[in-house]
Amino acid sequence: MADVAREAGVSLMTVSRVVNNKGNVSTETKQHVQDVIELLDFRPSGIARGLATDQTQTIGLVVPDVENPFFSAVTRGVENAAYTEGYNVFLCNTEENPNRELTVLQSLEDNRVDGFILCSTRLTEKQLEEVLPRQSAAVLINRKLPTKPSWSQVGTVRIDDTKSGRVAVRHLLNFGHRAIGFLSGSQNSSSGHGRLRGYQTELEKAGIDPKSDYTLPCQPTVSGGYLAAIQLINRHPEITAVYCYNDLVAVGVLQACNETGRRVPIDLAVVGNDDIPLAAIVTPPLTTCRVPCYELGTQVVCALLNILNQPDGFSQDIVLQSEFIVRASAPRTYQEHES
Amino acid sequence: MADVAREAGVSLMTVSRVVNNKGNVSTETKQHVQDVIELLDFRPSGIARGLATDQTQTIGLVVPDVENPFFSAVTRGVENAAYTEGYNVFLCNTEENPNRELTVLQSLEDNRVDGFILCSTRLTEKQLEEVLPRQSAAVLINRKLPTKPSWSQVGTVRIDDTKSGRVAVRHLLNFGHRAIGFLSGSQNSSSGHGRLRGYQTELEKAGIDPKSDYTLPCQPTVSGGYLAAIQLINRHPEITAVYCYNDLVAVGVLQACNETGRRVPIDLAVVGNDDIPLAAIVTPPLTTCRVPCYELGTQVVCALLNILNQPDGFSQDIVLQSEFIVRASAPRTYQEHES
DNA sequence: CTGTTAGCGCTTTCAT
DNA sequence: ATGAAAGCGCTAACAG
């Protein structure tokens, strides 16, 4: 920048004003300075600017596993929205490990991100209550905030998971299923808990006691679903339908059925969750609860920028709607079943 | 940091020395300072440090589409390796748009990343020759460097795509196919060109003229594959086998076959590329060329850090091997076919 | 409309 | 073994 100033015969401040396009600069000097900038191919250092202004134009995104299609869709949404708004994003993968999550959070703070997005955090309430207060802006995806303290700089964007669970189970109940299992995913997943609540609520409403044996946690992956399904099927052969934490788990169930000679949906109906692209592709295609992953990503950036731009913080608690999608793995009519 | 120094009754430098654990500090002051740091919960500002040292401990990762399983696998590899090495990564998605790619590259430079990784860049040679020389460190994935200039700060990590193409086509030839199509993906994909070369070479070796009509570019996605397949099938019903740019495209072909009543592999054999998790899950499972995506990600970080740590740059050109995986979409024996 | 001064939080260099 | 001074590249606040 000093070079530019010297070459253009003006002060540093004038260059700064031109670069930031603010303050009063005569049109001609401005033009001249711009020419010199062009000529010298000058680019201001974001990090020096960050140090001076305390704003880095960067945000941190923390996800359990980028390779999971759900998170990669969210990531894409976040990245695109951030790009549009002129922000850069630090991506951190926690590999589902809470300690690593704490560590990366620290590293993001060290890098002075303007705010961050915690997607499906695996942290406990207690850990969150320790970490969140010291941030100037954060938004959580798929996680409710502790009700007690209310932070103006922490927002949430989530899906009504309980409702998703209820809709899925009601669908299965409607078609005569009584013994319905639930593969509940990661044990410290907030969404998992919500869906479990929905599952239980709906069963109870139908006068069915939700047997705790019918609920099994698992890794939120295809192999996790496969392993859990084998276990569930062996222990409870009377089960005729399974609701799954997510579509990956549901695909694992499909594989288990395939291997053990069970026909889907005739012997076992399967319902997934999320509607990742894979859901429509597998055989049979999955009945599932569609979560607008990409929108989740774009919305969360909006929410974060709102907090950043409001003078004294302006956090929101956005709840997006899911949409139940009926496909062959748990169809609407049971012609085949009845035939 | 000033607070720490004051509280501990030492100078800034001593604190700095303790933080960085270098220079001579007596064990007792060191301990004392550490206690104060703990007490005050002090964390050094990465960005101030970056300004002072000209090293930010960050790298940039540029991919065409994080949501594509291939890239999300690479991203996970990069992220994990970077985490291990104490680096943070800026993720940039270009949505397959070269202009956006140029823009994000600029923004990464502005943020003074220590180096960056360009994955499957869609830039032209000319654009690369303009962008790369001004970097202090960069590694490209899936792209050869222009042969003329040799840069010591730019490395590559890639797969022998030509070989992949050859192996795939040879497999098809071995089982009697003569009319083999190729859905070649994005037109400015270096990998696509490599695979095309392999496809052509192997056909020629078998005395078959590679008809240019049999090669069709397409979006590297499921729907891209679907659309291209419909077109190819309509125009050239004589084709009995298709090699695809990647597994997503291959899945699109599967869908097209399904819809038009073609049986795979009996009416049309399909070979994909990459072996993303999806490949083994679809029906029929895909014969494909396995690319070690995750390793690609970890290796590229190693290569980048090598450049960064060598005094005068030390770039490598790493070629990883792919592995041909035979599954039902293009099986080894054609029992069904012959029966 | 333009320039000067000071300082963001840290490290480097040189003294002591 | 420790500290003082200067500076990384930029901007905020004030002068002129």
Side-chain angles (χ1 to χ4, degrees):
Chain A
M1 186 153 122
D3 299 345
V4 177
R6 190 181 328 108
E7 184 71 21
V10 297
S11 75
L12 287 174
M13 265 322 290
T14 306
V15 179
S16 174
R17 287 192 180 101
V18 171
V19 167
N20 296 304
N21 196 26
K22 79 180 187 193
N24 291 332
V25 185
S26 77
T27 344
E28 51 181 320
T29 39
K30 180 169 176 176
Q31 186 56 52
H32 179 218
V33 172
Q34 274 169 341
D35 290 347
V36 176
I37 287 177
E38 193 84 6
L39 179 72
L40 266 50
D41 202 30
F42 166 75
R43 297 247 99 210
S45 159
I47 113 173
R49 180 182 293 182
L51 185 57
T53 61
D54 211 32
Q55 292 208 122
T56 54
Q57 296 290 111
T58 62
I59 62 182
L61 171 62
V62 181
V63 299
D65 173 15
V66 235
E67 206 171 343
N68 175 319
F70 177 87
F71 297 118
S72 63
V74 171
T75 300
R76 180 161 159 260
V78 168
E79 160 61 27
N80 284 347
Y83 172 74
T84 307
E85 301 292 339
Y87 280 77
N88 270 104
V89 5
F90 277 115
L91 177 69
C92 296
N93 203 235
T94 67
E95 298 281 310
E96 305 269 351
N97 175 346
N99 286 330
R100 179 159 165 185
E101 192 167 348
L102 251 16
T103 308
V104 301
L105 236 31
Q106 189 62 264
S107 79
L108 290 173
E109 294 173 44
D110 293 350
N111 277 310
R112 299 299 186 262
V113 295
D114 289 339
F116 62 75
I117 296 167
L118 257 183
C119 187
S120 303
T121 175
R122 305 309 191 201
L123 298 180
T124 62
E125 291 243 322
K126 184 172 290 185
Q127 289 173 314
L128 283 178
E129 283 176 13
E130 197 173 321
V131 166
L132 294 178
R134 65 169 186 255
Q135 308 310 140
S136 56
V139 182
L140 311 190
I141 294 181
N142 283 349
R143 175 77 169 228
K144 275 188 193 163
L145 247 24
T147 38
K148 293 85 61 130
S150 151
W151 296 304
S152 63
Q153 33 42 292
V154 183
T156 64
V157 178
R158 57 197 178 81
I159 300 292
D160 188 339
D161 288 301
T162 304
K163 187 171 150 204
S164 301
R166 290 185 55 176
V167 171
V169 171
R170 191 180 318 149
H171 175 81
L172 292 170
L173 286 169
N174 281 348
F175 296 100
H177 294 286
R178 287 295 169 266
I180 303 174
F182 178 44
L183 299 183
S184 62
S186 180
Q187 281 185 284
N188 33 20
S189 155
S190 179
S191 303
H193 297 157
R195 287 168 204 166
L196 174 61
R197 207 170 316 119
Y199 161 85
Q200 292 171 333
T201 306
E202 202 61 24
L203 285 181
E204 281 161 7
K205 263 184 58 182
I208 299 173
D209 179 43
K211 301 174 68 167
S212 66
D213 272 18
Y214 282 12
T215 294
L216 216 62
C218 60
Q219 284 289 96
T221 59
V222 174
S223 63
Y226 170 84
L227 293 172
I230 294 285
Q231 215 174 335
L232 192 68
I233 284 170
N234 281 340
R235 291 218 283 243
H236 300 287
E238 72 277 15
I239 287 178
T240 62
V242 182
Y243 172 46
C244 303
Y245 173 70
N246 68 16
D247 293 332
L248 293 177
V249 170
V251 169
V253 175
L254 254 35
Q255 290 186 335
C257 288
N258 214 20
E259 201 168 276
T260 60
R262 276 181 180 72
R263 293 158 301 171
V264 176
I266 307 186
D267 300 325
L268 190 74
V270 178
V271 175
N273 204 93
D274 293 352
D275 195 31
I276 59 176
L278 174 61
I281 289 172
V282 290
T283 314
L286 289 175
T287 289
T288 189
C289 209
R290 171 177 298 169
V291 171
C293 316
Y294 183 85
E295 283 70 29
L296 224 43
T298 54
Q299 290 280 350
V300 78
V301 172
C302 288
L304 189 63
L305 295 191
N306 274 338
I307 299 177
L308 252 23
N309 295 331
Q310 300 304 319
D312 43 275
F314 174 66
S315 67
Q316 313 170 59
D317 192 353
I318 301 173
V319 180
L320 260 39
Q321 292 308 313
S322 61
E323 179 192 358
F324 198 66
I325 308 283
V326 179
R327 297 201 187 92
S329 75
R332 214 177 281 288
T333 63
Y334 273 68
Q335 296 177 317
E336 302 149 299
H337 194 201
E338 280 147 14
S339 70
Chain B
M1 185 154 122
D3 300 344
V4 176
R6 191 181 328 108
E7 183 71 21
V10 296
S11 76
L12 287 175
M13 264 324 292
T14 306
V15 179
S16 175
R17 288 192 180 100
V18 172
V19 166
N20 296 305
N21 197 28
K22 79 181 187 193
N24 292 331
V25 186
S26 75
T27 344
E28 50 181 321
T29 37
K30 178 169 178 177
Q31 185 57 52
H32 179 219
V33 171
Q34 274 168 342
D35 290 346
V36 176
I37 287 176
E38 194 84 5
L39 179 71
L40 266 50
D41 201 30
F42 166 76
R43 298 245 98 210
S45 159
I47 111 174
R49 181 181 295 184
L51 185 57
T53 61
D54 213 33
Q55 294 209 116
T56 54
Q57 297 289 111
T58 61
I59 63 182
L61 170 62
V62 181
V63 299
D65 173 15
V66 234
E67 207 170 341
N68 177 318
F70 177 87
F71 297 118
S72 63
V74 171
T75 300
R76 180 161 159 259
V78 168
E79 160 62 29
N80 284 347
Y83 172 74
T84 307
E85 302 292 339
Y87 280 78
N88 269 104
V89 4
F90 277 115
L91 176 70
C92 296
N93 202 234
T94 68
E95 299 281 312
E96 305 269 351
N97 175 347
N99 287 329
R100 179 159 165 184
E101 191 167 347
L102 250 17
T103 308
V104 300
L105 235 34
Q106 189 61 264
S107 79
L108 290 174
E109 293 173 44
D110 292 350
N111 276 310
R112 300 298 186 262
V113 294
D114 290 339
F116 62 76
I117 296 167
L118 257 182
C119 188
S120 303
T121 175
R122 306 309 192 202
L123 298 181
T124 62
E125 290 243 322
K126 183 172 292 185
Q127 289 173 313
L128 283 179
E129 282 176 14
E130 196 173 319
V131 167
L132 294 178
R134 65 168 186 255
Q135 308 310 139
S136 57
V139 181
L140 311 190
I141 294 181
N142 283 348
R143 175 78 169 227
K144 275 189 194 161
L145 247 25
T147 38
K148 294 85 59 131
S150 150
W151 296 303
S152 63
Q153 39 29 301
V154 183
T156 64
V157 178
R158 57 196 178 81
I159 300 292
D160 188 340
D161 288 301
T162 305
K163 188 171 151 206
S164 302
R166 292 185 53 176
V167 171
V169 171
R170 191 181 315 148
H171 174 82
L172 259 10
L173 286 169
N174 281 348
F175 296 99
H177 294 285
R178 286 296 169 266
I180 302 175
F182 178 43
L183 299 183
S184 62
S186 180
Q187 282 185 282
N188 33 20
S189 156
S190 179
S191 304
H193 298 157
R195 288 168 204 167
L196 174 62
R197 207 171 315 119
Y199 161 85
Q200 292 171 332
T201 307
E202 202 61 24
L203 285 181
E204 281 161 6
K205 263 184 58 180
I208 299 174
D209 179 43
K211 302 175 68 168
S212 67
D213 273 17
Y214 282 11
T215 294
L216 215 62
C218 60
Q219 284 288 98
T221 59
V222 174
S223 62
Y226 170 85
L227 294 172
I230 294 285
Q231 217 175 334
L232 192 68
I233 284 171
N234 280 339
R235 292 218 282 245
H236 300 287
E238 73 277 15
I239 286 179
T240 62
V242 182
Y243 171 47
C244 303
Y245 172 70
N246 68 16
D247 293 331
L248 294 177
V249 170
V251 169
V253 175
L254 254 34
Q255 290 185 337
C257 288
N258 213 21
E259 201 168 274
T260 61
R262 275 180 180 73
R263 293 159 302 169
V264 176
I266 306 185
D267 300 325
L268 191 75
V270 178
V271 176
N273 204 94
D274 294 351
D275 195 31
I276 59 176
L278 174 60
I281 288 172
V282 290
T283 313
L286 290 174
T287 289
T288 188
C289 208
R290 171 176 299 169
V291 172
C293 318
Y294 183 85
E295 284 70 30
L296 224 43
T298 55
Q299 290 280 350
V300 78
V301 171
C302 287
L304 190 63
L305 295 189
N306 274 340
I307 299 175
L308 253 23
N309 296 331
Q310 300 302 319
D312 44 275
F314 174 66
S315 67
Q316 315 170 58
D317 193 353
I318 301 173
V319 179
L320 261 39
Q321 292 307 314
S322 62
E323 179 193 358
F324 198 65
I325 309 283
V326 179
R327 298 204 187 92
S329 74
R332 214 176 280 287
T333 63
Y334 273 67
Q335 297 177 318
E336 303 149 300
H337 196 199
E338 281 148 13
S339 70

